[in-house]
Amino acid sequence: MKDGLEGVIACQTKISRIELVNGKAVLEYRGYDIRDLARRASYEEVAYLLIYGELPKKYELQDFKIELAERRDLPPQIIGLLTHLPPYTHPMVVLRTATSYLGSLDRKIDVKTREENLEKAKNLIAKFPTIIAYYQRIRTGRNIIQPTLELSHAANFLYMLNGEMPSRTAEKALDMDLILHAEHELNASTFAARIAASTLADMYACVVAATGTLMGPLHGGAAQEVMKMLREIATPRRAEGYVRKKIEKGERIMGFGHRVYRGVMDPRAELLRRLAKKLAAEGSTKWFEISEEIAKAAYKHKKLLPNVDFYSASIYANLGIPDDLFVNIFAMGRISGWLAHIIEQYENNRLIRPRAEYVGEKEKKFIPISER
Ligand code: ACO
């Protein structure tokens, strides 16, 4: 057995496919290449695809967008919670706490019909951005900005966060970023969600498990660490020395390496790099230029390739998103993938309960406490 369940197939899924084809990594959601989805679909369209299983027709997408927009508001109890949490609470802790609270407000928490699962899913997808934006406004002592029905999922989030209409470029950039983060097979947080779902725990519990797991710096938490590194390096010419020293000391470079994409480029990183470059050209090039130098040095000194978290950092910084909200943006995208997996697990369930190989001491003689 390899540590970390490397290479183990733990379940079957129809949600996404990661495969090496002619030396290149392919990533598809429900059979559609992410390059097509990122360029030609909206986040709402992709969320529909993931949770319903098919791309929506025009009228279905219109209805879905309205359904999401109408669910954006938060119950007063959740706003009360956001107001009472200490302002130093990490926004991911806030997100998982608010998700759990949403569960306590749902009288149908244990109902798991397909219709009710989709209902809960739409509610969670719609409310995640509001929880994040409201908390950011509250902890910085500003008034909350209520969601608007007119804007897209991405634009409405930026509007609630910053209090002004985002530019078309900013909207498109966030929309594409959310699409690229929406789903990735059996990554750690999705696996956590599926394990919880396999016990038939309620959907909120499954999403809480996933949200808690995503936060770690080896998973979604890496983007915040990337930003820390970009700030430490501060100027492109210092990147090479910084990376070399880290590698010499045996330390990890955040935003590089991936369990599944070994020696091949993460297709999401490729697309995000282009997006980061475009955003930089229209705003500040600083973070992108440092990122490029880090990527060159990481490849030169250890053949390391960037993962999805690497270029996300400079994208978020250029969108004016604070560093400790980076993981939350990831969660805002990934929620639809989690929900699709939770529903898939519910609909074809068997308890996930693997075994462990025991490597401790055996058959020891019990010594009474007075003699120890
Ligand atoms: N920096 C330096 N070396 C690295 C890195 C890195 N970021 N990633 C892998 N390596 C090296 C390891 O040191 C090891 O080298 P060695 O064989 O010389 O000892 C080799 O690559 C294999 O590494 P593993 O630890 O076996 O890789 P694993 O699959 O267990 O870990 C992980 C994957 C956790 C993503 C790892 O690459 C890492 O820590 N990256 C940094 C954190 C990060 O960016 N996480 C986000 C991942 S993407 C996501 O979750 C959204």
Side-chain angles (χ1 to χ4, degrees), residues 218-219 252-253 255-257 259 262 302 304 307 309 330:
L218 294 188
H219 192 7
R252 303 239 148 182
I253 315 291
F256 286 84
R259 174 63 63 79
R262 289 212 190 269
K302 205 167 177 183
L304 290 172
N307 59 47
D309 277 329
F330 191 150

